[in-house]
Amino acid sequence: MRRRTALRLAATTALVGLTVTACGTGSSGDPANAGGTKQATQSADIDKNATVDVRLVLEPTSLDIASTAGAALDQILLDNIYQGLLTRDENNKIRPSLASSYEASPDGLTYTFHLAKDATFHDGSQVTAADAVWSLQQVTAAGSKNPDAAALASVKSVSASGDHTVVVKLKHRDTNFIWGLTERAGIVFKKGTDFSTLAGKENGTGPFKLAGWKRGSSITFVRDDSYWGKKAKVAKVVFHYIKDDNAANNAQQTGQTDIETAAQADLLQPFSDTGKYTVLRGDTTDKFTLAFNNASGPTKDVRVRRAIRQAIDNAGLIKTLGGAAKAVGGPVPATDPGYEDLTPIDAYDPASAKKLLKQAGYGSGLKLTLQVPNIYPPTIGDYLISDLKQVGIQLTVRQVEFQTWLNTVFTKHDYQLSLVDHAEARDLYNFANPAYYFGYDNANVQKWYAAAGTATSDAQRDAYLKKAARQVSQDAAADWLFVNQTLTVVRSGVTGVPRNFTSSRYDLADLTVAKK
């Protein structure tokens, strides 16, 4: 299966709060049930000239989706501005996009994609097989800067068969190839696109066009009235980047925003009037990961890593944060292939943690530093300080700018502990890559992960993934504090709002606003 070194993170404060009273469609007494899953019914009379204002958290550093890493780009650009051969729906199921259909050969080595014949770029030119072939070849070329280049590592050749048929031959069976095409690797650009210009302009194929970017504030999309597919139902969408949860709440209450993503559960009281608001609760693959430097320092010792895991009461942390999260115990969330409940591994046991630290030579205490991007609230860091103190670990929390975190932790691997939200689905490959910032190197995990990629069935694939994930957890390669669930506040009259996996993509296709 694929190995990647590109960063695929969602820096989001989609955490949950301390208490909840009334929460829209959710329970008024149980924080764990804040929010509901039922959308309001679309009005029979919608305003196609409407502007929808959406609160997001992390602003992209560039709009060059061909070479700039980070889930903040995928979140807004995939499906809306750019489209791939394939896409994923609200439930993370693979669906057609620019390729209206495809078939695979019995041996799994040849895939044939049939492009939508009426698809066009924003400049009006037709999308052809030549564009798709060229785009895929840029991803697979030596030295490709595409963050998802490794998703196509199994590709042997790409060719056109006529104007609207693309044939991809693989070096070997790859069970994750089709999934990879739902991400950046599958985007179809116009043949000859100069990727260096994408930071300032775009020529996508999606239902929206880029209208403007006020750095540090907002990004605006407008409907493409010449869009080749089902046209967007709103005229404009403005993404407002508001990191502070209280400020985001104020914006939602005062009508500056219509949709507040990543709402905090303990701040939902103002939205308890179900006549004015709906609170949607959704699944994510956001794994809030306490990373250990497996390659150097005290955490190179597995006993120290296991002690840290056993010192942390994950269930207590989830409760402290409000309950809108799930324990996972390993690197694979419940919505991904290969999931199993690994929470019994290194479960909360302070007495055992102390013994492990003593065995590792730290019976008299240990000092560690945790680096956390400052886009996250301090609650988690405070909780970790308290729990680790009980077993003799003195934890210093350093909140840093996200760019500093990228440079120091992700790029230079200069850290002891780190906390960040790994948002991408199916990213177990990070633990099969010794060069990734975790520094985790296990030959069996690498072997099993590779075997999963060439498996002949989903069941066989999942069995290998489970073996790999269990080993990663047993080696305490990290501590997966929780998998977040997301809460979205929606004002009355707005429907078609994305609910699940909103950190990694935010498809606006079904967004509607009722006429007043």
Side-chain angles (χ1 to χ4, degrees):
M1 278 174 120
R2 56 192 170 141
R3 293 184 184 181
R4 290 190 279 182
T5 57
L7 179 65
R8 303 284 293 169
L9 307 172
T12 171
T13 53
L15 300 180
V16 285
L18 303 177
T19 57
V20 177
T21 51
C23 305
T25 56
S27 166
S28 61
D30 182 3
N33 290 322
T37 58
K38 186 177 180 180
Q39 288 262 12
T41 303
Q42 179 182 316
S43 171
D45 192 11
I46 63 174
D47 182 1
K48 293 187 177 180
N49 294 316
T51 295
V52 177
D53 294 277
V54 182
R55 178 265 182 139
L56 296 181
V57 180
L58 182 65
E59 183 178 11
T61 57
S62 166
L63 296 181
D64 176 9
I65 197 168
S67 59
T68 302
L73 269 177
D74 303 54
Q75 183 183 39
I76 62 171
L77 296 184
L78 286 179
D79 300 323
N80 298 317
I81 300 291
Y82 298 103
Q83 295 172 305
L85 292 174
L86 303 171
T87 188
R88 307 200 297 263
D89 66 13
E90 173 79 351
N91 298 308
N92 253 2
K93 303 299 182 184
I94 297 172
R95 296 288 183 258
S97 187
L98 287 174
S100 56
S101 63
Y102 73 92
E103 59 264 1
S105 61
D107 61 5
L109 297 179
T110 302
Y111 286 81
T112 303
F113 299 90
H114 305 283
L115 301 183
K117 294 183 178 180
D118 54 352
T120 57
F121 292 100
H122 289 160
D123 67 3
S125 59
Q126 187 178 42
V127 177
T128 68
D131 297 308
V133 169
W134 180 85
S135 298
L136 295 179
Q137 287 175 340
Q138 306 316 298
V139 179
T140 60
S144 171
K145 295 181 179 179
N146 189 293
D148 286 350
L152 303 189
S154 62
V155 172
K156 179 180 181 181
S157 66
V158 187
S159 61
S161 177
D163 289 340
H164 295 94
T165 303
V166 177
V167 179
V168 180
K169 294 185 179 295
L170 304 184
K171 303 169 189 175
H172 52 77
R173 184 186 292 271
D174 184 353
T175 59
N176 220 29
F177 169 65
I178 290 299
W179 178 267
L181 291 180
T182 69
E183 300 177 332
R184 296 190 196 195
I187 291 177
V188 176
F189 298 97
K190 187 173 182 178
K191 183 178 179 180
T193 295
D194 180 357
F195 292 147
S196 68
T197 67
L198 296 183
K201 64 178 182 179
E202 54 84 8
N203 185 25
T205 61
F208 288 89
K209 293 181 177 181
L210 176 66
W213 182 9
K214 296 180 181 179
R215 289 181 180 269
S217 177
S218 64
I219 293 176
T220 300
F221 292 172
V222 293
R223 179 176 58 224
D224 178 12
D225 288 321
S226 299
Y227 178 57
W228 60 275
K230 185 175 69 173
K231 292 177 175 56
K233 300 172 184 177
V234 296
K236 183 186 295 185
V237 176
V238 182
F239 296 108
H240 300 267
Y241 292 95
I242 308 172
K243 294 180 181 179
D244 182 77
D245 290 307
N246 286 293
N249 255 29
N250 182 65
Q252 185 71 8
Q253 288 177 256
T254 57
Q256 297 174 61
T257 56
D258 303 296
I259 300 170
E260 179 187 348
T261 68
Q264 193 166 323
D266 65 331
L267 300 178
L268 290 179
Q269 175 61 33
F271 310 116
S272 59
D273 186 344
T274 57
K276 293 182 178 180
Y277 304 101
T278 297
V279 179
L280 299 175
R281 180 189 185 94
D283 291 326
T284 77
T285 51
D286 291 27
K287 301 166 290 296
F288 277 76
T289 304
L290 180 64
F292 307 141
N293 192 329
N294 286 247
S296 66
T299 51
K300 186 175 181 178
D301 190 325
V302 66
R303 294 169 297 186
V304 173
R305 301 197 302 270
R306 292 190 61 211
I308 293 171
R309 292 191 70 188
Q310 293 178 19
I312 299 170
D313 181 3
N314 298 69
L317 174 60
I318 291 171
K319 184 177 180 180
T320 296
L321 294 170
K326 297 178 180 178
V328 61
V332 178
T335 54
D336 280 1
Y339 167 77
E340 66 172 319
D341 181 4
L342 298 177
T343 53
I345 298 175
D346 285 328
Y348 180 53
D349 189 342
S352 176
K354 290 179 181 178
K355 291 179 182 178
L356 285 168
L357 287 172
K358 185 175 182 179
Q359 292 171 13
Y362 298 103
S364 299
L366 173 62
K367 294 181 179 180
L368 293 172
T369 299
L370 169 68
Q371 297 195 54
V372 186
N374 62 5
I375 49 179
Y376 303 122
T379 309
I380 299 178
D382 293 343
Y383 188 93
L384 296 178
I385 289 173
S386 177
D387 267 8
L388 295 182
K389 182 179 180 180
Q390 302 306 311
V391 301
I393 296 176
Q394 182 181 329
L395 184 66
T396 299
V397 177
R398 290 185 57 222
Q399 287 203 319
V400 298
E401 295 289 335
F402 190 63
Q403 285 301 318
T404 300
W405 183 93
L406 285 172
N407 180 57
T408 304
V409 178
F410 180 73
T411 302
K412 296 181 179 178
H413 307 180
D414 182 12
Y415 76 103
Q416 293 178 322
L417 304 180
S418 170
L419 173 65
V420 78
D421 171 11
H422 281 262
E424 190 186 24
R426 306 191 187 196
D427 60 356
L428 179 60
Y429 52 80
N430 288 328
F431 292 96
N433 178 11
Y436 199 66
Y437 83 95
F438 297 146
Y440 174 70
D441 189 355
N442 184 291
N444 281 331
V445 169
Q446 295 158 29
K447 177 181 69 176
W448 293 329
Y449 188 79
T454 57
T456 57
S457 68
D458 288 351
Q460 185 183 66
R461 174 200 65 191
D462 292 354
Y464 279 121
L465 292 176
K466 286 181 180 180
K467 288 179 69 173
R470 177 170 284 276
Q471 186 64 60
V472 169
S473 185
Q474 289 173 338
D475 288 342
D479 190 21
W480 302 269
L481 299 178
F482 54 84
V483 174
N484 193 51
Q485 293 179 296
T486 187
L487 297 169
T488 301
V489 181
V490 184
R491 78 163 176 83
S492 177
V494 179
T495 58
V497 178
R499 178 173 60 86
N500 296 321
F501 312 110
T502 56
S503 293
S504 54
R505 58 208 305 153
Y506 205 80
D507 189 351
L508 304 169
D510 295 325
L511 203 60
T512 64
V513 176
K515 281 188 177 179
K516 296 181 180 179

